[in-house]
């Protein structure tokens, strides 16, 4: 793949509305669109029905580099965004500015700024959760939803902070990483002195071909007085991550810092309260799930997958990829692309 693209005025970088790609121009174009965040950076490719791609932590629009040209070539208008707090998108100063419903509002504004009335939304990791709530709360805009790595769990249940605190002591002992991320500045002090090295270790820890061996200390937990990084693999990159790919991710976080990305974790209790009116609600639009068999998310959320007949009554496919870790669309791009294309082709309209 080419190195990460930079905004090019010849490719229509604007402060208001993106120009749809024409039939003879399938090159990716960068745009800054007005949203409740302030601005949202999007990368667009192709023309046709709109497919909105939402990345996870700690990534950017670049996480979809293997999907965008394939979906565009198949006749879709593909738009990958930098989620609020990431990349060239706005980064509100308040921690509370990263709550889930604010991110949903950004997605709706992107669809409108692109001159569209509806979209299919596809998300990975945190992007999957954002995509799910987008479909749940705005079915008038998001006509179908695909979730990668993180299955849908309806709002409700115990307060998230209490759930994560109760997980302390698991994973060879220590504090669960979500709890570790809660205090502003704490994780930043670990990550920001060496963003590139930390990211390399994080990606390796969650990828099938480089994750720690069974019985090793779990990299999702922090030992007493320790750091997450000390449990990451060192000196190795997963097969899907080249040096230029790592540069693409690290360069953005070295420029922006990590706080905007981490603030998503710091709003989980706020989300729990904001979404109380949707407690137990299913997503009824056509849906899809794709996960990796070696992803810890599937082990933690196995009951959520079993509940799909009730929580995703419009499910048109649930795929667990053998020998795959957390970063499914990057670890297994060809298989993921095939699944996405078949699912998109099955959608009404």
């Amino acid at each position: 793949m080419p190195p990460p693209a930079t905004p090019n005025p010849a490719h229509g970088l604007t402060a208001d509305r993106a120009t749809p790609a024409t039939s003879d121009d399938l090159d990716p174009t960068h745009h800054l669109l007005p949203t409740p965040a302030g601005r949202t950076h999007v990368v667009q490719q192709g023309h046709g029905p709109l497919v909105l791609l939402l990345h996870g932590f700690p990534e950017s629009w670049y996480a979809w580099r293997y999907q965008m040209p394939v979906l565009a070539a198949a006749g879709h208008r593909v738009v990958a965004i930098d989620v609020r707090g990431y990349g060239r998108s706005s980064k509100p100063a308040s921690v509370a500015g990263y709550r889930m419903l604010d991110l949903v509002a950004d997605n709706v504004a992107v669809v409108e700024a692109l001159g569209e009335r509806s979209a299919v939304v596809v998300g990975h990791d945190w992007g999957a959760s954002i995509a799910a709530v987008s479909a749940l709360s705005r079915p008038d805009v998001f006509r179908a939803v695909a979730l990668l790595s993180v299955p849908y769990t309806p709002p409700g249940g115990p307060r998230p902070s209490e759930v994560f605190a109760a997980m302390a002591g698991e994973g060879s002992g220590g504090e669960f990483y979500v709890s570790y991320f809660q205090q502003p500045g704490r994780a930043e002090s670990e990550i920001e002195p060496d963003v590139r090295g930390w990211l390399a270790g994080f990606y390796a820890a969650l990828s099938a071909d480089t994750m720690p061996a069974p019985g090793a200390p779990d990299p999702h937990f922090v030992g007493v007085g320790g750091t997450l990084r000390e449990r990451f693999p060192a000196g190795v990159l997963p097969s899907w991550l080249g040096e230029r790919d790592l540069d693409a991710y690290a360069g953005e976080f070295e420029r922006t810092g990590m706080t905007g990305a981490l603030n998503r974790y710091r709003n989980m209790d706020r989300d729990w309260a904001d979404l109380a009116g949707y407690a137990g609600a299913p997503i009824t639009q056509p849906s899809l799930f794709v996960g990796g068999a070696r992803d810890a998310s599937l082990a933690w959320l196995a009951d959520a997958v079993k509940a799909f007949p009730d929580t995703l009554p419009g499910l048109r496919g649930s795929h667990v990829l053998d020998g795959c870790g957390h970063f499914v669309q990057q670890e297994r791009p060809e298989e993921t692309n095939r699944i996405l294309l078949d699912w998109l082709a099955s959608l009404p309209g």
Side-chain angles (χ1 to χ4, degrees):
M1 295 299 295
T6 56
N8 184 338
H11 283 171
L13 181 65
T14 74
D16 46 13
R17 186 177 295 272
T19 302
T22 62
S23 59
D24 57 356
D25 182 8
L26 288 178
D27 291 335
T29 60
H30 293 250
H31 311 271
L32 297 176
L33 303 180
T35 62
R39 69 175 184 275
T40 294
H41 171 238
V42 309
V43 184
Q44 175 178 267
Q45 192 165 4
H47 54 95
L50 179 60
V51 179
L52 189 65
L53 304 177
L54 310 179
H55 66 81
F57 175 89
E59 300 173 282
S60 71
W61 74 267
Y62 188 73
W64 300 103
R65 64 196 177 280
Y66 297 122
Q67 284 67 53
M68 294 188 68
V70 174
L71 299 186
H76 300 280
R77 186 183 187 187
V78 187
V79 175
I81 79 171
D82 278 338
V83 173
R84 174 187 298 222
Y86 287 81
R88 300 179 190 120
S89 294
S90 291
K91 299 160 187 64
S94 169
V95 173
Y98 296 82
R99 60 211 310 158
M100 182 66 77
L101 290 179
D102 289 335
L103 302 179
V104 172
D106 289 343
N107 295 338
V108 172
V110 164
V111 173
E112 293 174 349
L114 292 168
E116 302 282 358
R117 298 178 62 184
S118 67
V120 173
V121 61
V122 181
H124 169 256
D125 183 75
W126 261 122
S129 298
I130 299 167
V133 177
S134 296
L136 177 67
S137 62
R138 292 302 305 266
D140 56 317
V141 176
F142 300 105
R143 62 187 181 92
V145 58
L147 310 176
L148 276 58
S149 296
V150 177
Y152 175 58
T153 56
R159 185 182 296 272
S161 59
E162 296 173 356
V163 173
F164 299 130
M167 295 177 70
E170 298 182 15
S172 302
E175 181 181 14
F176 192 50
Y177 78 100
V178 178
S179 298
Y180 178 67
F181 285 168
Q182 294 302 305
Q183 181 182 341
R186 186 181 178 199
E188 288 93 327
S189 68
E190 173 187 340
I191 302 169
E192 291 181 354
D194 178 19
V195 170
R196 193 177 193 278
W198 193 93
L199 290 176
F202 183 89
Y203 298 143
L206 275 63
S207 298
D209 59 343
T210 48
M211 63 177 53
D218 191 330
H220 298 92
F221 291 81
V222 180
V224 177
T227 63
L228 277 172
R229 184 174 181 173
E230 65 192 24
R231 297 188 174 192
F232 294 166
V236 61
L237 293 181
S239 59
W240 61 266
L241 185 71
E243 295 287 348
R244 290 200 302 177
D245 300 321
L246 182 56
D247 287 342
Y249 288 127
E252 291 290 75
F253 289 114
E254 287 168 350
R255 180 176 60 83
T256 67
M258 298 297 300
T259 296
L262 289 164
N263 278 345
R264 174 83 288 275
Y265 291 92
R266 296 165 183 160
N267 279 279
M268 297 181 75
D269 280 356
R270 291 186 181 93
D271 298 337
W272 177 78
D274 290 345
L275 298 172
Y278 295 96
I283 294 173
T284 59
Q285 298 97 308
S287 57
L288 173 74
F289 177 73
V290 185
R294 299 192 65 193
D295 187 352
S297 297
L298 282 189
W300 298 329
L301 298 173
D303 288 344
V305 174
K306 293 177 182 177
F308 279 169
D310 297 319
T311 61
L312 294 176
L315 188 69
R316 297 187 173 209
S318 180
H319 306 265
V320 177
L321 308 186
D322 290 337
C324 184
H326 182 67
F327 300 99
V328 287
Q329 81 270 31
Q330 296 176 88
E331 292 186 53
R332 302 284 279 277
E334 293 183 1
E335 194 167 355
T336 301
N337 290 347
R338 177 184 57 76
I339 292 169
L340 286 173
L341 287 172
D342 288 348
W343 175 70
L344 288 167
S346 78
L347 298 178

